[in-house]
Amino acid sequence: IQEWAGYLMSGDTSLHKILILIGQKRSGKSTILDILENLVGTEQSCATSFSKLPGQFGLQSMLGKSACFIGEGDKGAKEAGELLK
């Protein structure tokens, strides 16, 4: 997580990486996302959901942003998977 935080703070988006936090409920995943979002800053980040990605303007909120945070990834992930193929 420390390496990921450093990557986000560098502002380098050339690698186009994705971080997926998998774990039990109430294990700190949302807290980690909140901290990372605060490190990046609200002007340089966005929040969306997998169910919004396949829509006509689903990727619009990501334009010009260093990071996009998606909470509760299991909701709508199947539909978004088709977009990512």
Side-chain angles (χ1 to χ4, degrees), residues 6-79:
Y7 173 72
L8 288 175
M9 291 186 338
S10 74
D12 181 15
T13 59
S14 64
L15 300 177
H16 297 280
K17 296 288 184 181
I18 186 169
L19 170 69
I20 301 174
L21 299 174
I22 300 172
Q24 297 178 357
K25 291 182 179 181
R26 302 193 47 85
S27 61
K29 298 180 301 293
S30 294
T31 302
I32 292 169
L33 288 179
D34 288 342
I35 291 169
L36 293 176
E37 185 174 10
N38 285 318
L39 285 173
V40 174
T42 55
E43 293 82 25
Q44 291 299 317
S45 64
C46 68
T48 189
S49 66
F50 278 122
S51 60
K52 291 181 182 177
L53 291 180
Q56 184 175 4
F57 300 105
L59 301 175
Q60 183 177 9
S61 64
M62 296 182 197
L63 291 174
K65 305 295 182 181
S66 298
C68 180
F69 298 97
I70 300 174
E72 301 297 329
D74 58 331
K75 297 178 184 175
K78 184 177 181 181
E79 294 83 6

